[in-house]
Amino acid sequence: MNKVVLIAIGGILSATVCVQYGNTAERIPVSLPDTTSRDYQKSRVPPQPTTDIDLQWALEAAVESHPSVAASWYEIQASQGVLQQAGYLPNPRIFGEIEEFGGSGELSGADAMASRIGLSQEFLLGGKIHKRVKEAEAGTRVTTLMHQKKLLEFKAMVERRFYNVYTLQERLRLQEKQLDIIEKTHEVVRKRVESGDTTPIDLARSQVEVSSARIEVQKRHRELKAARHVLAESWGSESPDFTSVRARYRLNPHISEPELYHLLEQSPAWKLYEARTDRAEKALALSRAEVIPDLELEGGVQHFNESGDQALFIGVSLPLPLFDRNRGNITGAEATYQKVRQQKKAGALALKTELQQAWHRFISAQQTVRALEEDVLPAARDAYQSVRKSYQAGEA
């Protein structure tokens, strides 16, 4: 009989929960972002290169294999766990009591004993569960944007490493050609000294140029070797197994400064400040809701040994917020909200300043490239042809 009544009381409490929070007595439904698109439990290590690699291969290998990317992704999964947990209702509690026994007189035995068994359920008032879910959703958005921002920064780092290798590789190639020209020129000078057409001072000067060029080539070899190791570390490799990198120079499409600022406002770095502000605002709302006391409802069945009768009972309890009104947490949440708002303003200024500096560097680099293509390279070709003709004339 007690068990049947207990189940009935449980149904009453569950129905009350449904009225309070919706059509489920288990938890508030929340929508979780999809985390099944990538499985970091089974990391996919790309095949190690044996020949030359391009930028696309380096980026994909780094994103697939580097542990820092996987660690950032797990932060999103952790925040999703917090979001899921925020939607659950407090668990109901089962309790039992025995009273009016083991005393004196008529209460010395168990004849007058009364026993109670029931369930109690706490109801969070003031929309606390809804506000907890909103705060957790804002937290998940923050960690997602942090992951996106970190991923972009990581890709930019890999790209810088890649082009550093490419630049050193091309410089080494040119310096080796230059060394070859200097060595051939030195040979011409040596022959002319032997024939008496020039003085030994010119030969000594030529030898110094050869030695300096060889030192520069050796230095560039060491720099390239170090840069290759740094690039290989991007995808978790301890040694560079690739032989070279290949890239093609091309100017970026023309884009105006206003268009760049518009793109900046769509970037994860910009949206991250907005998401942090929204999260702080949601945390402040939750702190204010915590002032409202929560209602606890209990109910069950009571059995009287003396008469063998049974009866239902219902109880309600509500804390009185006389001393703890959550003022400290509210003050802290308000200060945090104001701090994050100021950080958003400062961050926006910093991002715009950084973008402006990058824009001017880009314009300067474009002008340098045009000058190289239109002035420096033609002059260098003419100088090379002059040296080549001089070498051929000296050999003759």
Side-chain angles (χ1 to χ4, degrees):
M1 181 66 178
N2 288 355
K3 185 179 295 184
V4 174
V5 177
L6 183 60
I7 294 174
I9 294 298
I12 295 173
L13 294 178
S14 297
T16 308
V17 172
C18 292
V19 172
Q20 180 82 10
Y21 295 114
N23 60 357
T24 175
E26 294 182 357
R27 66 180 180 89
I28 299 298
V30 295
S31 58
L32 296 177
D34 182 20
T35 60
T36 60
S37 58
R38 296 282 300 276
D39 185 7
Y40 282 103
Q41 296 289 350
K42 300 177 181 178
S43 60
R44 295 175 291 170
V45 180
Q48 291 297 318
T50 56
T51 57
D52 58 340
I53 62 172
D54 58 9
L55 177 60
Q56 187 63 30
W57 189 97
L59 289 174
E60 290 178 358
V63 172
E64 283 289 339
S65 306
H66 203 276
S68 65
V69 179
S72 176
W73 184 262
Y74 279 123
E75 289 181 8
I76 298 179
Q77 291 186 320
S79 68
Q80 289 174 343
V82 174
L83 172 58
Q84 185 177 11
Q85 187 63 34
Y88 284 101
L89 299 174
N91 288 326
R93 292 180 294 175
I94 185 171
F95 64 90
E97 295 180 5
I98 299 177
E99 58 185 14
E100 298 184 7
F101 72 98
S104 59
E106 295 180 354
L107 302 179
S108 60
D111 294 336
M113 182 179 69
S115 59
R116 303 201 310 175
I117 185 171
L119 290 172
S120 67
Q121 175 67 55
E122 184 181 19
F123 297 94
L124 304 183
L125 305 182
K128 292 187 184 70
I129 290 186
H130 177 73
K131 289 180 171 62
R132 286 178 185 175
V133 170
K134 289 299 181 182
E135 184 194 16
E137 286 177 345
T140 300
R141 176 167 170 76
V142 167
T143 53
T144 301
L145 288 170
M146 288 177 63
H147 172 74
Q148 295 174 357
K149 177 176 177 287
K150 185 172 184 179
L151 193 59
L152 288 176
E153 292 173 345
F154 182 73
K155 287 182 176 180
M157 180 196 71
V158 174
E159 190 168 344
R160 287 193 300 269
R161 291 178 176 183
F162 178 88
Y163 280 110
N164 185 40
V165 172
Y166 179 72
T167 301
L168 292 172
Q169 179 180 287
E170 292 303 299
R171 283 182 177 178
L172 176 60
R173 183 177 62 84
L174 294 174
Q175 286 178 334
E176 287 177 339
K177 287 185 177 181
Q178 183 183 23
L179 175 60
D180 181 63
I181 294 174
I182 292 174
E183 288 177 339
K184 290 178 178 178
T185 304
H186 177 70
E187 185 63 22
V188 171
V189 173
R190 186 184 64 79
K191 290 181 179 180
R192 296 186 65 185
V193 169
E194 290 176 353
S195 63
D197 294 335
T198 187
T199 63
I201 295 177
D202 293 331
L203 182 61
R205 188 182 298 115
S206 177
Q207 182 62 51
V208 170
E209 292 179 358
V210 171
S211 299
S212 298
R214 286 174 179 170
I215 291 173
E216 286 299 316
V217 168
Q218 293 172 357
K219 177 183 176 183
R220 200 66 66 204
H221 268 292
R222 291 192 296 268
E223 290 178 351
L224 178 57
K225 182 179 180 180
R228 282 159 50 86
H229 274 84
V230 172
L231 177 60
E233 187 274 336
S234 302
W235 52 82
S237 178
E238 296 181 356
S239 61
D241 296 327
F242 57 93
T243 56
S244 62
V245 300
R246 64 179 184 273
R248 179 180 298 177
Y249 163 75
R250 62 180 180 182
L251 283 173
N252 289 332
H254 295 286
I255 185 170
S256 65
E257 196 168 359
E259 288 175 322
L260 282 177
Y261 282 116
H262 175 71
L263 292 175
L264 175 64
E265 293 177 358
Q266 307 302 317
S267 67
W270 185 279
K271 291 183 177 180
L272 182 58
Y273 287 110
E274 297 177 348
R276 284 173 172 165
T277 304
D278 181 61
R279 182 183 185 180
E281 186 177 8
K282 297 293 192 299
L284 176 59
L286 178 59
S287 294
R288 288 172 176 169
E290 294 289 349
V291 176
I292 302 173
D294 298 324
L295 176 70
E296 185 172 1
L297 174 65
E298 65 178 21
V301 60
Q302 185 170 5
H303 177 76
F304 300 93
N305 277 9
E306 186 174 6
S307 61
D309 295 330
Q310 293 179 338
L312 300 177
F313 70 91
I314 294 178
V316 178
S317 63
L318 186 69
L320 298 177
L322 299 178
F323 306 109
D324 181 8
R325 296 185 57 84
N326 207 38
R327 294 187 184 277
N329 290 332
I330 293 175
T331 301
E334 288 175 343
T336 300
Y337 175 63
Q338 295 300 329
K339 180 191 75 171
V340 172
R341 287 186 61 193
Q342 297 304 318
Q343 287 177 337
K344 177 184 176 182
K345 294 179 182 179
L349 290 174
L351 287 174
K352 287 183 177 180
T353 301
E354 187 177 352
L355 177 61
Q356 191 176 41
Q357 292 174 345
W359 169 255
H360 288 302
R361 288 196 301 268
F362 171 72
I363 296 300
S364 176
Q366 273 192 328
Q367 293 172 349
T368 301
V369 169
R370 290 195 181 97
L372 286 171
E373 289 179 336
E374 297 172 3
D375 301 325
V376 178
L377 288 179
R381 291 192 191 99
D382 293 341
Y384 173 75
Q385 292 297 331
S386 299
V387 171
R388 186 169 177 270
K389 289 178 182 179
S390 298
Y391 165 72
Q392 290 175 344
E395 251 191 347

